[in-house]
Amino acid sequence: MQSARDLLVLYGSETGCAEDVAERIGRQARRRRFRVRVVAMDDYDKNLLIEEKLVVFVCSTTGQGEEPYNMKKFWRFLLRKNLPHDILSNLDCAVFGLGDSSYAKFNYPAKKLYKRLQQLGANVMIQRGDGDDQHYLGLDGALDPWLLSLWEAIMEKYPLKDQEIIPEEVLLDPTFRLELLPENASNEPEIKTMQAPPPLREDEFNVVVKSNERITATDHFQDVRHLALECDSENMRYAPGDIAVITPKNLPEEVDAFLTMMQWNNLADRLIRITPASKDCKLPAHWASVMTFRDLFVNHLDIFGVPRRSFFEMLAHFTKDENQTERLREFASPQGQDDMYNYCQRPRRTIAEIMFDFTPTDIPLDYILDVFPILRPRSFSIASSLKAHPGQIELCIAIVKYKTKIRRIRRGVCTKWISTLKPGDLIERVRISKGTMRLPPSPEIPLIAIGPGTGVAPMRAFLEQRILEGAKENVLIFGCRHRDKDYHYRQQWEQYEKDGHLKVLPAFSRDQDQKFYVQDCVRQQGAMIWELIDHKQTKVVLSGSSGKMPEQVAFAMKQIFMKYGSLDAEQAEHYWNTMSKTGQYQEECWS
């Protein structure tokens, strides 16, 4: 039964950032005495939406303007043509989007959702908020003022009568309860059942590591792996251009060191039972309800990642030193974002390091899941064709390791774990996400594939598939630093070229005095590329880092159109935009 002070927060999140914002809105709502539910859009019973009075929608952007994985079913539901135009006329709502304005389709999911809600008669309480990663404060640059406007509008329509807003310094009730079980509890049949992980969902499957090989020279600064994974599940189906989604684990020895630092090492092997503190929250679908304390940190909690602002907000409740509490609250405030950036984001400080800096703390077990964020899945472009490698997924992954501004070595949470995987190791609950790039509709249509570095991964999948289907006109523009150090899949490309299936145009940026990149290679081969694009309707696909490279390749292409197609600047821009709109050009880049 709905009450006048029920608030629903629905989120679509790919990496956890939108979920973090949704949880933050949920906490602020609880302080204003609302009964709150925070739910992923696809986990929500869509048929109940017409009964809701107040909903805040939060959604991120993935790929090239795509909606997140856990929003797709909900979005398809809203797009149904048989929905009456006034079906949501009793709904008050607001929409906040998360994106990056350097992308052409900035915040498309939020923009489309905002428009569709209005079409269905919803009362949008305030203007849509657009969080932008390019803002110097990140998404908080737009989120903080948007939240002020949101609560002003909500509290005007849904005022508190006889109660006060709960102050920020007052600790809210925990989301979950963590119960230490008796030491002999593992012998009980009921507990053994609760320790079993939930069944795989229909879109999930387990894989076994077949090989994990370094494919860069041992003296090269970057360790890049070719990871081959085997699977006999019928659920494992993918097409060239698709993405493997993998949830990492923390290394047990690092977790043990963390538990020792936190003085929890005596609890490491104890069984714990995790239960929601209210019926409005649920344990993540892939978690068992009983596990060891150590397994909670190995498998589920991100204690070695760089935290978001909400971490400081929660940690401030559990420090024992008033000066430290004040500093953490400053980091969590809108005014303290510059200081938080300099302390945490700029040097990429991890949660474990922050906990060391702010000892002693006293975090009750019930609040562990409120303080420490959950390990999120990572996405990797698949570097193989299923037709060429039946029962396998192959990935090309750069192991993240670098020095920060303060000269400390940092390692990526996921790739650190991947670097330790050995043949025979099990990776659980992998799923496939549809990519945004697709093969040309026919093998007769030529393909130009541009993939510097590990951006070559989806290009390998495309080329393997096309060559098996008999396609002859394939061009690969590959960029790296050195021919003899990081030329990924060189032997395969050279064999394809020898067999007449591929033309390879490598760009080695450091093998000569003047740097030479893929965009320089595009310009150098301008006559051939224009011939392929304009006369043969060749498809162009690009993958790699979302830094300057995509823009520079686009600029080089437009220069080609002007030089070899005799177009002026405006015509070249229009030609390129048309290629993008029709799908003749597609890109998938990441930050």
Side-chain angles (χ1 to χ4, degrees):
M1 182 75 180
Q2 291 282 311
S3 77
R5 295 195 61 77
D6 274 16
L7 188 151
L8 173 66
V9 186
L10 290 177
Y11 65 85
S13 186
E14 194 77 21
T15 64
C17 199
E19 183 178 354
D20 185 70
V21 170
E23 293 287 358
R24 179 175 166 191
I25 294 170
R27 288 192 299 274
Q28 293 184 354
R30 290 184 188 100
R31 294 190 181 281
R32 288 160 177 81
R33 312 284 181 171
F34 282 94
R35 176 174 171 262
V36 185
R37 290 160 293 151
V38 180
V39 190
M41 292 188 200
D42 283 356
D43 291 338
Y44 174 72
D45 185 348
K46 303 175 286 293
N47 297 310
L48 299 178
L49 192 60
I50 58 171
E51 299 176 17
E52 303 290 350
K53 299 297 182 187
L54 180 58
V55 181
V56 179
F57 296 88
V58 182
C59 60
S60 62
T61 312
T62 186
Q64 302 301 310
E66 297 290 311
E67 63 274 2
Y69 168 76
N70 58 5
M71 175 183 168
K72 290 183 181 294
K73 292 177 185 176
F74 183 86
W75 178 238
R76 284 198 296 270
F77 167 77
L78 283 187
L79 288 178
R80 281 167 45 177
K81 292 182 179 178
N82 62 347
L83 293 177
H85 66 86
D86 60 349
I87 192 171
L88 298 181
S89 57
N90 292 324
L91 178 69
D92 291 330
C93 67
V95 177
F96 187 83
L98 292 79
D100 185 325
S101 60
S102 66
Y103 286 80
K105 295 183 176 181
F106 171 53
N107 270 344
Y108 256 40
K111 290 174 180 176
K112 291 187 293 186
L113 175 62
Y114 184 77
K115 184 176 181 181
R116 184 58 178 157
L117 290 169
Q118 290 177 308
Q119 290 172 345
L120 295 174
N123 169 39
V124 180
M125 300 187 77
I126 63 169
Q127 191 69 25
R128 182 192 70 245
D130 287 320
D132 185 4
D133 283 345
Q134 293 298 315
H135 192 284
Y136 80 101
L137 291 178
L139 70 93
D140 285 328
L143 179 60
D144 285 335
W146 185 83
L147 285 174
L148 288 175
S149 299
L150 174 70
W151 292 119
E152 186 177 324
I154 289 177
M155 296 304 286
E156 183 176 341
K157 188 163 186 178
Y158 299 86
L160 278 170
K161 294 180 180 177
D162 302 320
Q163 295 174 299
E164 298 290 326
I165 293 175
I166 301 171
E168 290 289 334
E169 59 270 17
V170 174
L171 181 62
L172 297 172
D173 290 338
T175 311
F176 294 92
R177 303 289 183 188
L178 266 67
E179 175 192 358
L180 282 172
L181 297 180
E183 294 191 9
N184 59 353
S186 57
N187 298 323
E188 299 176 17
E190 180 189 359
I191 296 300
K192 286 184 177 179
T193 301
M194 296 170 78
Q195 282 184 267
L200 294 172
R201 297 187 320 196
E202 60 181 24
D203 64 340
E204 294 177 330
F205 50 89
N206 296 335
V207 298
V208 175
V209 177
K210 180 182 179 184
S211 62
N212 185 3
E213 300 174 355
R214 178 172 176 144
I215 57 174
T216 46
T218 54
D219 61 345
H220 187 57
F221 80 98
Q222 188 166 54
D223 178 0
V224 175
R225 301 297 179 94
H226 178 75
L227 189 66
L229 309 170
E230 293 181 308
C231 177
D232 57 7
S233 169
E234 293 182 358
N235 292 343
M236 198 275 280
R237 295 183 298 272
Y238 64 89
D242 283 352
I243 293 161
V245 182
I246 296 173
T247 302
K249 297 185 178 184
N250 293 315
L251 304 186
E253 61 273 20
E254 293 188 352
V255 168
D256 284 344
F258 176 80
L259 295 180
T260 299
M261 180 187 75
M262 296 295 296
Q263 298 183 353
W264 286 335
N265 49 313
N266 61 317
L267 303 178
D269 296 312
R270 290 285 298 274
L271 285 177
I272 56 170
R273 175 163 37 205
I274 308 172
T275 53
S278 76
K279 60 183 175 64
D280 294 324
C281 63
K282 293 181 180 179
L283 204 61
H286 61 288
W287 289 28
S289 58
V290 171
M291 66 188 80
T292 68
F293 195 72
R294 177 189 286 110
D295 283 345
L296 173 63
F297 287 88
V298 169
N299 298 325
H300 299 308
L301 298 183
D302 188 4
I303 52 175
F304 299 110
V306 178
R308 297 190 172 103
R309 176 172 157 185
S310 57
F311 170 75
F312 296 100
E313 177 189 330
M314 286 305 302
L315 186 61
H317 291 291
F318 306 112
T319 46
K320 293 183 176 181
D321 183 295
E322 287 186 13
N323 291 329
Q324 290 186 337
T325 302
E326 186 177 339
R327 191 177 182 209
L328 288 167
R329 286 190 175 138
E330 181 70 16
F331 286 161
S333 71
Q335 301 80 17
Q337 290 310 286
D338 284 339
D339 287 341
M340 194 272 274
Y341 177 84
N342 288 327
Y343 169 73
C344 179
Q345 303 296 326
R346 191 166 178 262
R348 310 300 293 166
R349 252 188 190 86
T350 68
I351 285 174
E353 290 173 323
I354 293 165
M355 294 306 301
F356 179 82
D357 286 351
F358 284 88
T359 53
T361 57
D362 183 13
I363 303 174
L365 296 187
D366 283 348
Y367 283 95
I368 282 176
L369 297 187
D370 289 301
V371 173
F372 300 112
I374 293 172
L375 274 170
R376 299 293 175 185
R378 271 62 166 180
S379 298
F380 300 98
S381 294
I382 296 174
S384 57
S385 156
L386 187 57
K387 192 172 182 180
H389 305 275
Q392 283 193 194
I393 296 177
E394 299 188 358
L395 305 174
C396 180
I397 298 174
I399 305 302
V400 178
K401 186 178 180 181
Y402 60 96
K403 281 188 177 180
T404 68
K405 302 281 187 184
I406 55 176
R407 312 302 293 170
R408 288 189 183 177
I409 292 177
R410 296 283 184 252
R411 301 176 71 193
V413 171
C414 184
T415 61
K416 174 175 59 177
W417 167 69
I418 284 173
S419 69
T420 68
L421 294 175
K422 300 180 291 296
D425 285 349
L426 181 70
I427 302 178
E428 299 172 299
R429 298 183 182 274
V430 178
R431 61 176 173 84
I432 301 298
S433 176
K434 287 292 176 189
T436 57
M437 298 188 299
R438 285 288 172 258
L439 283 166
S442 163
E444 280 70 47
I445 297 174
L447 176 73
I448 297 174
I450 307 171
T454 56
V456 80
M459 307 310 166
R460 183 174 183 262
F462 286 143
L463 293 170
E464 286 186 342
Q465 184 86 0
R466 278 176 59 83
I467 288 167
L468 277 175
E469 293 174 350
K472 295 288 187 182
E473 288 194 89
N474 302 297
V475 177
L476 172 65
I477 302 176
F478 173 73
C480 65
R481 291 191 172 213
H482 305 282
R483 178 187 291 272
D484 61 349
K485 292 186 185 295
D486 56 340
Y487 190 175
H488 308 331
Y489 307 112
R490 173 182 177 177
Q491 290 179 318
Q492 186 173 0
W493 308 140
E494 290 177 347
Q495 187 62 50
Y496 283 164
E497 197 162 35
K498 184 179 176 182
D499 295 341
H501 299 308
L502 179 67
K503 183 176 183 62
V504 187
L505 303 172
F508 306 114
S509 64
R510 306 298 199 276
D511 277 353
Q512 60 284 314
D513 292 338
Q514 189 170 355
K515 291 178 182 176
F516 187 77
Y517 298 109
V518 288
Q519 59 267 26
D520 301 311
C521 190
V522 167
R523 273 187 286 267
Q524 188 182 76
Q525 300 292 329
M528 179 195 71
I529 290 173
W530 171 254
E531 172 77 15
L532 284 169
I533 290 175
D534 194 59
H535 296 171
K536 296 188 177 183
Q537 284 67 57
T538 294
K539 179 158 187 173
V540 181
V541 288
L542 176 144
S543 180
S545 170
S546 63
K548 297 178 180 178
M549 183 271 298
E551 291 181 8
Q552 291 173 341
V553 168
F555 181 65
M557 285 287 187
K558 293 168 198 172
Q559 288 180 307
I560 287 172
F561 301 162
M562 294 168 70
K563 181 174 181 180
Y564 297 99
S566 300
L567 306 182
D568 61 28
E570 187 176 338
Q571 290 170 326
E573 187 73 33
H574 177 73
Y575 194 105
W576 180 251
N577 290 339
T578 302
M579 284 181 66
S580 299
K581 287 176 184 175
T582 60
Q584 188 180 356
Y585 171 76
Q586 291 182 317
E587 70 177 47
E588 192 161 88
C589 300
W590 59 87
S591 55

